[in-house]
């Protein structure tokens, strides 16, 4: 068995970073400097001695201190390149991850994984990996490089301009930028047979048996619905119960209910979606059951797309083997629509008014053409402080195609304690009535409203179009 990776923390700040790394890599052991760090799994007195001993006993080392100190401490025991464990230096505030040693034993893969947990970019310096977008020396679990000693020359040959052909199935190379050529002088061979590598060859043996020994991780991308647990589908409740790791915005995590002490919560702030998606896969590939929370439906302006895109872009076979499922939820438009009647009862479209991830011109075009084609609308992300003028412009476009008395439903915090629902006319719609927690439904030419007993209105769009069929 490979010994557990060791994280060495030399300060209280370092311990915080160590704990964050451990949240994504549960099998690590945190060693804390006895005079400075409280609350580590183990303590140590002398950094140099400890790091050398860990190195010589084959432990992966993640040192929360400078690269210089780490290398200097190991200098006297540095061994032959093929045999050493991965060694990394990580800034104690978690801002940088520097792979130092262990190129053939996966240090760059580990650096990427830790960087994903810390949501930073790893400082990869290996020229072959940078140029070719992959580290040939570190295939994913399930593959073994049979002739690592030849790898250095092989990569140097590619850097010098030689071309390469690939025989066999190497999914992790799919997105690599290798100098491929069917008549390449160099050969990458992937085989399940135990063959001896020839000159100018790299041979990867696929190890199906080893692969099956690892527990298969699971990633469920779930939608909570608008907020009220009664609107959450049972499969989502089940996934939340089964989860070992829960990822999502703090608000959504709170909305999801209470968790057990054995469940690890990873409350994410407003970081980039793709990074959060990669973090989820990194956790799941360790064999864990991971749940990624979105509000409403995870496929509607939420995490499911980012998760699947991250998988599509990844050549890491371990990610592709994670059991991935997307569990739907009641999206804000549907929740608000049902409260007001059935305004989306005929053809409709959903448009986000946020131009953060798409150009405003396309939003205008879609609104104009959909309005002209007489769709009903649901608008998400309608307005925010940095985006004050977009909604007024959208209202202007809608008014070019809709009567002033077109019903408009404003649903705010639907399914949550502060829920409010108002039905007004398009002529009366102003940006002040709307915020980021509101979904706006704008009717088609046939959408109509009538008073409800006890106050409020029912709004609906009939099932027919044009003239009402005889009944
Ligand atoms: N995945 C979510 C949408 C995320 S985009 C879903 O399917 O519902 C965020 C936008 O959704 C908000 O700006 C708001 O327009 C809308 N929204 C989300 N939850 C809402 C709720 N409970 N009530 C009203 N609008 C909501």
């Amino acid at each position: 068995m490979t010994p557990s990776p060791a994280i060495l923390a030399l300060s209280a700040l370092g311990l915080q970073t160590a704990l964050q790394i451990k949240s994504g890599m549960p099998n690590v052991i945190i060693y804390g400097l006895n005079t400075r760090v409280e609350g580590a799994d183990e303590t140590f007195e002398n950094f140099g001695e400890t790091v050398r001993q860990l190195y010589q006993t084959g432990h992966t080392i993640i040192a929360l201190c400078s690269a210089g100190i780490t290398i200097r401490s190991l200098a006297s025991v540095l061994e032959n390149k093929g045999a050493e464990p991965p060694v990394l230096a990580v800034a104690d505030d978690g801002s940088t991850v520097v792979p130092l040693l262990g190129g053939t034993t996966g240090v760059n893969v580990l650096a990427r994984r830790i960087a994903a947990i810390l949501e930073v970019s790893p400082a990869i310096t290996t020229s072959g990996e940078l140029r070719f977008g992959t580290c040939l020396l570190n295939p994913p679990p399930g593959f073994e490089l049979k002739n690592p000693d030849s790898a250095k020359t092989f990569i140097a040959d590619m850097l010098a301009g030689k071309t390469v052909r690939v025989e066999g199935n190497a999914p992790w190379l799919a997105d690599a930028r290798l100098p491929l050529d069917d008549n390449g002088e160099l050969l990458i061979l992937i085989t399940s047979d135990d063959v001896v590598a020839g000159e100018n060859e790299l041979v990867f043996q696929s190890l199906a048996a080893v692969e099956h020994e690892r527990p298969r991780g699971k990633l469920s991308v779930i939608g909570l619905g608008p907020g009220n647990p009664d609107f959450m589908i049972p499969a989502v409740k089940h996934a939340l119960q089964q989860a070992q790791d829960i990822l999502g915005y703090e608000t959504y995590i709170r909305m999801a209910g209470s968790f057990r002490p054995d469940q690890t919560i990873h409350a994410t702030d407003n970081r980039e979606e793709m990074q959060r998606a990669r973090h989820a896969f990194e956790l799941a590939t360790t064999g864990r059951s991971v749940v990624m929370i979105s509000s409403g439906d995870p496929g509607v302006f939420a995490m499911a797309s980012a998760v699947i895109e991250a998988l599509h872009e990844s050549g890491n076979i371990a990610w592709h083997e994670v059991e991935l499922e997307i569990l739907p939820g009641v999206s804000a438009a549907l929740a608000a629509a049902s409260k007001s009647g059935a305004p989306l009862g005929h053809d409709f479209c959903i448009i986000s008014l946020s131009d953060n991830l798409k150009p405003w011109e396309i939003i205008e075009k879609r609104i104009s053409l959909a309005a002209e084609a007489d769709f009903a609308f649901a608008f998400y992300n309608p307005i925010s402080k940095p985006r004050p003028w977009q909604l007024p412009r959208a209202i202007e476009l809608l008014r070019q195609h809709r009567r002033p008395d077109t019903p408009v439903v404003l649903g705010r915090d639907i399914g949550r304690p502060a829920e409010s629902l108002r039905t007004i006319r398009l002529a009366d719609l102003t940006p002040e009535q709307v915020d980021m927690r509101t979904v706006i439904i704008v009717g088609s030419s046939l959408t109509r409203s009538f008073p409800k007993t006890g106050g409020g209105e029912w709004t609906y769009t009939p099932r027919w179009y044009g003239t009402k069929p005889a009944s």
Side-chain angles (χ1 to χ4, degrees):
M1 241 185 92
T2 32
S4 304
I7 306 192
L8 285 86
L10 289 84
S11 64
L13 181 59
L15 180 66
Q16 291 309 310
T17 303
L19 289 168
Q20 199 182 339
I21 296 172
K22 187 164 179 151
S23 72
M25 290 176 53
N27 62 332
V28 301
I29 295 175
I30 302 178
Y31 293 74
L33 181 60
N34 61 350
T35 50
R36 300 251 173 87
V37 177
E38 261 176 48
D41 302 322
E42 306 273 347
T43 56
F44 66 87
E45 252 182 72
N46 181 304
F47 178 76
E49 274 170 25
T50 309
V51 85
R52 282 190 290 278
Q53 197 191 1
L54 288 165
Y55 177 86
Q56 285 173 318
T57 47
H59 288 77
T60 294
I61 296 168
I62 303 158
L64 288 160
C65 62
S66 79
I69 293 177
T70 314
I71 285 290
R72 226 178 272 287
S73 305
L74 287 172
S76 62
V77 294
L78 289 185
E79 276 178 19
N80 129 359
K81 194 176 161 189
E84 71 195 353
V87 178
L88 303 95
V90 175
D92 65 356
D93 64 357
S95 59
T96 313
V97 179
V98 189
L100 295 173
L101 302 167
T104 59
T105 46
V107 73
N108 284 341
V109 174
L110 192 59
R112 287 187 197 287
R113 181 163 162 212
I114 295 171
I117 296 170
L118 298 173
E119 302 187 8
V120 296
S121 299
I124 305 283
T125 53
T126 324
S127 54
E129 175 159 355
L130 291 174
R131 168 92 81 90
F132 305 125
T134 181
C135 184
L136 287 174
L137 305 180
N138 299 120
F143 295 89
E144 187 197 353
L145 174 56
K146 298 297 286 180
N147 54 332
D149 293 344
S150 314
K152 195 174 165 194
T153 314
F154 193 94
I155 291 170
D157 284 347
M158 285 198 299
L159 285 169
K162 287 193 182 167
T163 54
V164 62
R165 59 189 205 283
V166 178
E167 286 178 15
N169 183 21
W172 77 96
L173 295 180
D175 293 331
R177 297 177 296 272
L178 295 175
L180 292 177
D181 183 342
D182 287 346
N183 302 314
E185 205 176 320
L186 305 171
L187 171 68
I188 294 176
L189 177 65
I190 297 92
T191 172
S192 53
D193 301 336
D194 194 7
V195 300
V196 176
E199 211 181 321
N200 293 331
E201 284 181 19
L202 279 189
V203 176
F204 293 91
Q205 191 176 6
S206 51
L207 309 165
V210 173
E211 205 36 27
H212 289 133
E213 279 165 27
R214 281 188 318 137
R216 189 171 176 215
K218 182 169 179 179
L219 174 56
S220 307
V221 187
I222 62 151
L224 294 177
N228 183 334
D230 286 348
F231 280 58
M232 200 188 284
I233 71 168
V236 162
K237 291 184 179 171
H238 184 71
L240 286 168
Q241 270 163 15
Q242 299 289 312
Q244 292 173 298
D245 293 276
I246 296 103
L247 284 86
Y249 286 136
E250 212 181 321
T251 337
Y252 300 157
I253 289 177
R254 258 186 274 121
M255 244 164 65
S258 51
F259 292 98
R260 300 184 304 271
D262 62 296
Q263 296 181 299
T264 310
I265 311 284
H266 307 261
T268 45
D269 52 16
N270 206 354
R271 297 278 171 92
E272 211 254 314
E273 283 186 350
M274 293 298 285
Q275 265 180 15
R276 280 190 273 150
R278 288 191 281 265
H279 182 194
F281 276 108
E282 294 296 350
L283 284 170
T285 49
T286 64
R288 317 254 307 164
S289 263
V290 181
V291 160
M292 166 82 88
I293 299 182
S294 290
S295 82
D297 183 90
V300 178
F301 310 126
M303 282 306 295
S305 296
V307 164
I308 298 178
E309 188 175 353
L311 181 64
H312 189 190
E313 285 177 354
S314 169
N316 188 337
I317 191 173
W319 287 23
H320 289 266
E321 283 176 352
V322 164
E323 185 186 344
L324 174 63
E325 65 178 3
I326 317 293
L327 299 177
V330 177
S331 193
L334 306 184
S338 66
K339 295 271 171 185
S340 69
L344 305 179
H346 211 296
D347 299 343
F348 70 96
C349 63
I350 291 184
I351 294 184
S352 166
L353 285 189
S354 168
D355 55 353
N356 289 340
L357 298 170
K358 59 182 168 182
W360 177 252
E361 298 75 63
I362 192 75
I363 303 179
E364 283 211 0
K365 187 172 177 185
R366 286 177 180 179
I367 294 173
S368 294
L369 293 176
E372 189 188 329
D374 204 18
F375 282 94
F377 288 87
F379 291 105
Y380 285 57
N381 301 311
I383 197 164
S384 69
K385 279 217 185 76
R387 296 187 288 105
W389 55 264
Q390 285 84 341
L391 177 60
R393 175 74 186 130
I395 295 172
E396 204 179 298
L397 292 172
L398 289 165
R399 285 184 182 145
Q400 291 171 11
H401 298 274
R402 288 288 189 286
R403 288 191 320 270
D405 65 347
T406 303
V408 171
V409 174
L410 301 177
R412 185 172 191 272
D413 277 335
I414 298 297
R416 301 174 189 169
E419 171 174 315
S420 84
L421 187 90
R422 287 206 293 162
T423 306
I424 58 171
R425 305 295 152 225
L426 182 56
D428 304 323
L429 175 59
T430 59
E432 296 72 45
Q433 299 159 302
V434 175
D435 66 9
M436 265 307 264
R437 286 148 69 178
T438 310
V439 60
I440 307 177
I441 296 176
V442 176
S444 74
S445 66
L446 286 168
T447 306
R448 68 262 326 254
S449 299
F450 62 94
K452 210 186 210 179
T453 310
E457 286 178 73
W458 284 121
T459 302
Y460 72 104
T461 306
R463 296 271 289 131
W464 45 269
Y465 197 83
T467 45
K468 185 175 167 68
S471 48

